[in-house]
Amino acid sequence: MIDYRRRDALQILNRLYTGRVSFLDAEYSRWIKKRNYTEKDRGWLVSLLRNIVKHQSFIDGVLKEYLPRWGKLPVAIQNLLRIGVAELLFHSSPSFAVVNEVVEITKDTGAEFTALVNAVLRKIARKRDYYSAILEEEGMELPPFLEEEWKSWIGEEDLKLLKKSLSLPPPLYVRVNTLKIGEDELRERWREKGIESSKTVLPGALEVDADYSTLLALPEYQEGLFYPQDLGSQLVVKTISPFIRGKIIDVCCGTGGKALTMAQYLSGGEVFAWDKKEGKVRTLSKFISLFNLGKIKPMVVDTLRPPRDFFSTADLVLVDAPCSGWGTIRRNPEILLKNPDLEDLSHQQFSLLLSASSLVKKGGVMVYCVCSITKKETQKVVKEWELNAGKEWEKVGLGKGEEEMIIWPHQFNSDGFFVAAWRKK
């Protein structure tokens, strides 16, 4: 029987490590659809790939102990070895089965390396428990600059907890469409189908024990009763909910996750959801119809060139700015391979704030948030904006006396976010 899972994993990794893939989830989703994978096999493939990319530094370090000329190996052979080590460390498959399956694929990929792959994986398999214990203790290895920044923010002990948290699989959260159904009723409908869920710290946010593809195939999704949304993203909307009123403009809406959730908090008024990419606005339009949220008005707009008739009209402007995404590293470990230009991103973020501020009316609020926690994208941008804004704006508290809020991934087992807000005098 042909082992498609590992062979597909190899193809995906080969494309990823040769720069032909930008987003890991889009790539494995394509292969999953192509093969019509079962839920079990989908989970296996996604888990394997995420762990390889997330823990590449550790996995490669282990392999280099046995392969001093590691860098000279073909990319495909490196990736086969990564697959073998990752399965030994993160899956419960018997060692002999893992080694044998990878060796069989090696025969078709680079037969001259078969003996080498066999010997190295057998040696590592004998120390499987040793390496697993190190991983469990140390958690995810972060880029040095990020580790230093986060340590300066939260201290060494919290950083250890954060790194262990990031090693875990990302939970699947959904937002209940509370305009259509209560969370208890939705959970009961899922329970009848054998799908378990649990409540979170936030009403309307559920953690679901199911595969993503399975979830979207449920009739409850087609009825518009829920949509996938990370808990961190939902917490951002909850934090700014006191400002959700009247006319709202979400100037970088993407496919509209936060706009959809803001609409649930909004009693009267409208949410204008802008994005400069027509495809994203088109997707949001489908969601609006599905979830029956007509108070959202999607528009293709470049926020750096906003329509003049929107100037000084908004009660709330949300600038959910494009960012490096370091706060989503648990779900999107491919960020480790991209090395985002933080200086360039911070300039873009400042420009968006500058332009978006023209939309806020007197007494209105502008919120800045990013799913990243780097000083250049948070403190630096906020400082530059406040120096430019002058006395016309004042910082707005975000609860518990905090003028800025950071959602750390280990606090709620969610994505990480930074949030700040100002009111126009």
Side-chain angles (χ1 to χ4, degrees):
M1 183 176 178
I2 297 176
D3 177 17
Y4 284 116
R5 299 181 310 172
R6 294 179 183 85
R7 291 175 188 269
D8 287 352
L10 176 61
Q11 294 301 317
I12 293 169
L13 291 172
N14 287 345
R15 287 172 55 78
L16 182 68
Y17 285 107
T18 53
R20 290 177 286 167
V21 173
S22 296
F23 298 101
L24 188 60
D25 59 347
E27 185 67 9
Y28 61 61
S29 295
R30 184 171 72 86
W31 284 83
I32 286 170
K33 186 176 181 180
K34 176 182 176 182
R35 293 282 188 214
N36 196 23
Y37 272 64
T38 64
E39 181 174 348
K40 181 180 178 181
D41 285 344
R42 286 196 302 262
W44 185 94
L45 181 67
V46 171
S47 172
L48 182 79
L49 290 169
R50 277 182 173 154
N51 280 318
I52 288 172
V53 180
K54 189 184 292 188
H55 297 285
Q56 183 201 331
S57 180
F58 182 85
I59 290 170
D60 286 5
V62 170
L63 286 163
K64 287 173 185 177
E65 292 179 21
Y66 306 92
L67 294 163
R69 294 174 64 82
W70 164 257
K72 300 292 185 181
L73 292 175
V75 171
I77 299 303
Q78 289 182 344
N79 286 331
L80 272 172
L81 287 162
R82 286 169 177 145
I83 288 170
V85 173
E87 193 171 357
L88 288 169
L89 297 183
F90 300 105
H91 293 254
S92 58
S93 310
S95 295
F96 73 88
V98 174
V99 175
N100 288 346
E101 292 288 354
V102 174
V103 166
E104 285 301 310
I105 300 174
T106 307
K107 292 176 182 177
D108 298 332
T109 306
E112 66 272 30
F113 295 99
T114 302
L116 175 70
V117 169
N118 182 54
V120 170
L121 289 182
R122 288 187 183 279
K123 288 178 181 177
I124 294 172
R126 287 194 285 270
K127 299 178 69 175
R128 185 177 189 173
D129 292 342
Y130 168 75
Y131 291 124
S132 296
I134 294 174
L135 265 176
E136 186 176 348
E137 175 61 28
E138 296 184 356
M140 181 179 178
E141 186 173 335
L142 299 171
F145 91 92
L146 197 61
E147 179 146 348
E148 284 302 310
E149 284 200 6
W150 286 359
K151 183 179 176 180
S152 71
W153 248 323
I154 60 177
E156 192 166 349
E157 289 307 309
D158 252 4
L159 180 64
K160 289 179 181 177
L161 296 175
L162 173 57
K163 290 168 69 174
K164 288 182 179 181
S165 172
L166 292 175
S167 285
L168 301 173
L172 178 55
Y173 295 108
V174 304
R175 178 69 194 179
V176 180
N177 185 353
T178 54
L179 301 178
K180 282 191 169 186
I181 194 171
E183 58 181 24
D184 289 332
E185 183 182 349
L186 181 60
R187 292 182 69 206
E188 183 56 35
R189 287 181 61 168
W190 282 341
R191 193 175 294 114
E192 291 172 358
K193 295 179 172 68
I195 296 174
E196 294 299 322
S197 62
S198 55
K199 295 185 178 182
T200 66
V201 296
L202 185 63
L206 299 176
E207 181 178 348
V208 187
D209 185 15
D211 169 82
Y212 185 85
S213 299
T214 299
L215 202 62
L216 295 194
L218 292 173
E220 289 80 8
Y221 179 73
Q222 305 305 322
E223 293 172 38
L225 303 184
F226 73 91
Y227 47 91
Q229 187 178 39
D230 183 76
L231 180 60
S233 185
Q234 296 186 54
L235 285 167
V236 169
V237 178
K238 174 61 177 176
T239 298
I240 66 172
S241 60
F243 317 128
I244 296 177
R245 57 184 175 83
K247 183 176 182 178
I248 299 168
I249 307 177
D250 181 352
V251 298
C252 303
C253 71
T255 55
K258 292 185 181 66
L260 293 169
T261 306
M262 284 193 293
Q264 291 188 40
Y265 285 93
L266 183 61
S267 178
E270 295 176 311
V271 180
F272 291 86
W274 294 356
D275 201 278
K276 65 180 181 180
K277 294 184 178 179
E278 188 175 345
K280 291 186 175 182
V281 174
R282 199 180 306 121
T283 299
L284 173 57
S285 296
K286 293 177 182 177
F287 289 155
I288 291 169
S289 176
L290 179 63
F291 303 125
N292 194 26
L293 292 170
K295 63 183 73 174
I296 302 176
K297 311 298 180 184
M299 298 173 63
V300 179
V301 176
D302 182 351
T303 300
L304 296 179
R305 299 171 182 82
R308 295 191 65 85
D309 53 350
F310 280 86
F311 283 12
S312 301
T313 64
D315 294 283
L316 171 64
V317 171
L318 173 63
V319 185
D320 186 6
C323 66
S324 64
W326 282 116
T328 70
I329 195 170
R330 184 194 281 116
R331 278 192 302 115
N332 303 308
E334 65 271 21
I335 297 166
L336 291 163
L337 308 178
K338 294 181 179 181
N339 192 26
D341 186 339
L342 300 182
E343 196 66 43
D344 180 60
L345 283 167
S346 69
H347 287 315
Q348 293 181 44
Q349 291 153 356
F350 172 75
S351 297
L352 285 167
L353 280 175
L354 197 62
S355 181
S357 65
S358 67
L359 306 170
V360 184
K361 71 181 185 182
K362 288 184 179 180
V365 172
M366 180 169 70
V367 172
Y368 172 66
C369 79
V370 284
C371 58
S372 182
I373 312 173
T374 66
K375 293 185 177 180
K376 284 186 177 179
E377 297 175 275
T378 59
Q379 293 177 340
K380 179 176 183 290
V381 173
V382 166
K383 183 177 180 180
E384 287 186 4
W385 158 248
E386 291 178 344
L387 286 172
N388 178 83
K391 297 180 179 179
E392 189 181 2
W393 295 80
E394 60 183 357
K395 205 74 163 282
V396 178
L398 295 172
K400 298 182 180 179
E402 298 178 359
E403 289 194 334
E404 299 169 0
M405 183 181 74
I406 296 178
I407 299 171
W408 290 97
H410 66 300
Q411 290 177 318
F412 301 103
N413 208 17
S414 69
D415 288 345
F417 282 89
F418 171 89
V419 188
W422 303 267
R423 178 176 281 107
K424 190 173 185 179
K425 296 180 181 177

